[in-house]
Amino acid sequence: MGLAKRVIPCLDVTHGRVVKGVNFVGLRDAGDPVEIAHRYDDQGADELTFLDITASSDERDMILHIIEAVAAQVFIPLTVGGGVRKVEDVRRLLNAGADKVSINTSAVQNPQLVADASGRYGAQCIVVAIDAKRVDPQGSAKRVDPGASSGDAGGEPHWEVFTHGGRKPTGLDAVQWARKMQSLGAGEILLTSMDRDGTKSGFDLALTRAVADAVDVPVIASGGVGNLEHLVAGILEGRADAVLAASIFHYGEYSVRQAKELMASRGIEVRL
Amino acid sequence: MTTIAVIDYGMGNLRSVSKALEHVAPDAEVRVTSDPEIVRQAERVVFPGQGAMPDCMREMDARGLRPAVLEAARSKPFLGICIGLQMLFERSEEGDTAGLGVFPGQVKRFPPQAMKDAQGAKLKVPHMGWNEVMQAEPHPLWQGIADANRYYFVHSYYVEAGKPELVAGYSIYGFPFTCAVAQDNIFAVQFHPEKSQTAGLALLANFATWKP
């Protein structure tokens, strides 16, 4: 009896279409954003996250039209991220119908943006997205074996923050960065394992748990979901407040409702 | 034609509220407005609010909306949402801010020491997501809505009503807290009906036809 854990389908959007990348390359087209948003709403999605992966800024207005269209028909919370650089960008997305705005690369380049946006519109609508990669003992990030459970190797595991869709290392420790973002006014952390993203091998549970335990704001686990058991593990072992997935829902492998039914059967409180 | 005024004082996203009202009351004229005169003339008034309560109070006053809000709260169907609920009370711990004082009571922050679930696990603040809303009393705005239905919340402060008969609904997050109050022509909720799918739309539809 209490707050439900959330299941959040993620829609990567470019040129007005929903796509899903595999490790941010090899994009596949998955359909019309409004139609997909409707489908997830009908299946019982708790929120929807839209990530605008459009590269050029002159095409950015397209996401505003998509959000306007979705917000007029789908009455659940909408988070929008991608290319948010200024408080003005936050304002435009909120006015288009977004309930929360996700800030990623710009939070690293200009942490004051998080403070300014949170101060102006409230922490409840500011999500900081953190893309993290596991760092080996020598100190440089490297890809882990997707099948291996990270965190069980010798020594304290740690993770580095990457920006620009996982291409650019920052030297920042992901757990410390999450704490700093909370102190600057992030109301929620969207945490993506870049090692796992697109691999379907499950969340990086050690990363999820390290961040979830380190902050007082909700943490959304992301990156690597390949089946419904992964969602259960993200909550029970990763201690996430919400789980985000894209491809398993887009291609009809599983419905959101199936995900929640399995979670409920494992004792996780969900909205059914 | 019924006019529903959604009071706009520059704090956050009112598109969701207006779109949801248009969806459930297609024959009504929904006006998002900061014009006190339009608020005065409207048949029904929705008083939303997002962000920090000190900012909400300041922006409301900067637009000269306080008299129109108080008049509406005395005289016509009035729905407060989120900070719009909190602003109806006497005082908030958030920035030690005076509210409108329509209702006796205080707005308090979720206390860190109380934020544990039954298993002792840490509860996050803000309280964000879908929680069950227990109906403390029958009310026309609950009509057709099952008890303990889930609504979408996002907030770090909650109201502590100064008189128990105000409480129309409560939720549990670490402890039971008031998430809906009702008196005469006023109904106000901590959660977001405009973001709470079927159950939220049902509440808004009830409001659109409510004759207190």
Side-chain angles (χ1 to χ4, degrees), chain A:
Chain A
M1 298 284 284
L3 186 65
K5 300 295 183 182
R6 289 169 279 154
V7 177
I8 307 175
C10 177
L11 294 76
D12 288 351
V13 179
T14 189
H15 301 108
R17 301 285 290 180
V18 176
V19 294
K20 176 56 190 171
V22 177
N23 282 60
F24 282 70
V25 292
L27 300 174
R28 290 200 278 169
D29 187 47
D32 172 61
V34 178
E35 198 179 294
I36 292 175
H38 258 299
R39 190 200 308 155
Y40 290 149
D41 181 38
D42 290 344
Q43 291 176 5
D46 295 310
E47 301 184 23
L48 297 174
T49 291
F50 295 81
L51 289 182
D52 181 10
I53 59 171
T54 305
S56 64
S57 53
D58 54 330
E59 289 172 1
R60 278 266 150 69
D61 282 357
M62 220 157 179
I63 190 73
L64 298 175
H65 301 309
I66 290 171
I67 297 306
E68 281 175 11
V70 173
Q73 300 175 42
V74 174
F75 300 103
I76 58 177
L78 308 176
T79 300
V80 187
V84 177
R85 293 186 179 86
K86 309 185 292 285
V87 173
E88 171 64 13
D89 296 333
V90 175
R91 189 189 68 82
R92 279 165 23 119
L93 288 167
L94 293 175
N95 282 349
D99 299 284
K100 302 186 238 183
V101 172
S102 171
I103 305 174
N104 188 336
T105 297
S106 294
V108 173
Q109 293 172 335
N110 174 23
Q112 187 60 31
L113 171 64
V114 174
D116 290 347
S118 182
R120 180 69 188 85
Y121 297 108
Q124 84 289 338
C125 68
I126 303 301
V127 181
V128 169
I130 299 176
D131 293 343
K133 270 189 204 178
R134 192 153 185 222
V135 177
D136 73 15
Q138 281 72 45
S140 61
K142 66 165 194 184
R143 288 193 49 83
V144 294
D145 173 3
S149 144
S150 61
D152 57 2
E156 284 288 297
H158 66 283
W159 297 267
E160 181 177 350
V161 178
F162 277 65
T163 58
H164 298 84
R167 295 190 303 276
K168 211 172 153 187
T170 65
L172 296 164
D173 177 79
V175 174
Q176 287 172 18
W177 181 243
R179 279 206 195 97
K180 177 170 181 189
M181 289 297 97
Q182 170 181 298
S183 71
L184 284 182
E188 191 169 42
I189 302 289
L190 168 54
L191 179 66
T192 302
S193 163
M194 300 313 293
D195 301 308
R196 299 302 179 90
D197 197 52
T199 65
K200 292 183 168 283
S201 60
F203 296 121
D204 184 336
L205 297 173
L207 166 67
T208 306
R209 187 163 181 158
V211 173
D213 285 351
V215 297
D216 296 319
V217 297
V219 172
I220 305 167
S222 159
V225 174
N227 62 51
L228 302 182
E229 291 293 345
H230 291 153
L231 302 177
V232 171
I235 301 288
L236 295 182
E237 295 173 53
R239 294 188 187 155
D241 301 282
V243 286
L244 179 140
S247 57
I248 63 161
F249 297 134
H250 289 335
Y251 298 107
E253 292 167 67
Y254 304 100
S255 70
V256 175
R257 194 164 310 281
Q258 283 175 306
K260 290 179 150 191
E261 282 167 358
L262 180 75
M263 290 163 76
S265 76
R266 300 301 167 79
I268 297 171
E269 188 151 359
V270 292
R271 164 183 163 258
L272 278 170

Side-chain angles (χ1 to χ4, degrees), chain A residues 1-4 41 46-47 75-77 94-96 98-100 124 188 212-213 215-217 241 269 271, chain B residues 10-11 13 15 20 23 51 55 122 124-132 150 152 154 173 194-197 201:
Chain A
M1 298 284 284
L3 186 65
D41 181 38
D46 295 310
E47 301 184 23
F75 300 103
I76 58 177
L94 293 175
N95 282 349
D99 299 284
K100 302 186 238 183
Q124 84 289 338
E188 191 169 42
D213 285 351
V215 297
D216 296 319
V217 297
D241 301 282
E269 188 151 359
R271 164 183 163 258
Chain B
M11 292 299 293
N13 167 17
R15 179 183 288 266
H23 190 83
D55 296 337
K122 176 169 72 175
K124 304 298 184 79
V125 177
H127 173 226
M128 185 186 285
W130 299 78
N131 205 337
E132 290 169 321
R150 289 186 187 274
Y152 186 79
V154 50
Y173 197 56
E194 77 280 12
K195 285 285 149 185
S196 297
Q197 220 213 16
L201 296 176

Side-chain angles (χ1 to χ4, degrees), chain B residues 163-202:
Chain B
K163 43 179 193 180
E165 57 269 36
L166 284 174
V167 178
Y170 66 94
S171 290
I172 297 170
Y173 197 56
F175 51 90
F177 71 91
T178 298
C179 69
V181 300
Q183 181 179 284
D184 305 328
N185 58 305
I186 301 175
F187 197 86
V189 293
Q190 181 62 64
F191 52 82
H192 289 271
E194 77 280 12
K195 285 285 149 185
S196 297
Q197 220 213 16
T198 317
L201 296 176

Side-chain angles (χ1 to χ4, degrees), chain B residues 79-159:
Chain B
L79 177 65
I81 299 175
C82 195
I83 310 284
L85 158 76
Q86 297 178 5
M87 287 165 82
L88 297 175
F89 286 80
E90 291 167 312
R91 183 158 284 277
S92 174
E93 284 182 0
E94 188 172 20
D96 191 22
T97 308
L100 291 166
V102 172
F103 294 138
Q106 310 290 320
V107 184
K108 300 190 163 180
R109 189 172 169 90
F110 282 114
Q113 66 277 10
M115 303 321 289
K116 302 269 187 218
D117 69 11
Q119 286 76 41
K122 176 169 72 175
L123 294 174
K124 304 298 184 79
V125 177
H127 173 226
M128 185 186 285
W130 299 78
N131 205 337
E132 290 169 321
V133 171
M134 269 59 79
Q135 299 169 12
E137 57 177 36
H139 191 282
L141 265 68
W142 294 138
Q143 196 190 336
I145 299 169
D147 194 22
N149 222 312
R150 289 186 187 274
Y151 284 84
Y152 186 79
F153 288 82
V154 50
H155 62 122
S156 300
Y157 293 79
Y158 65 97
V159 298

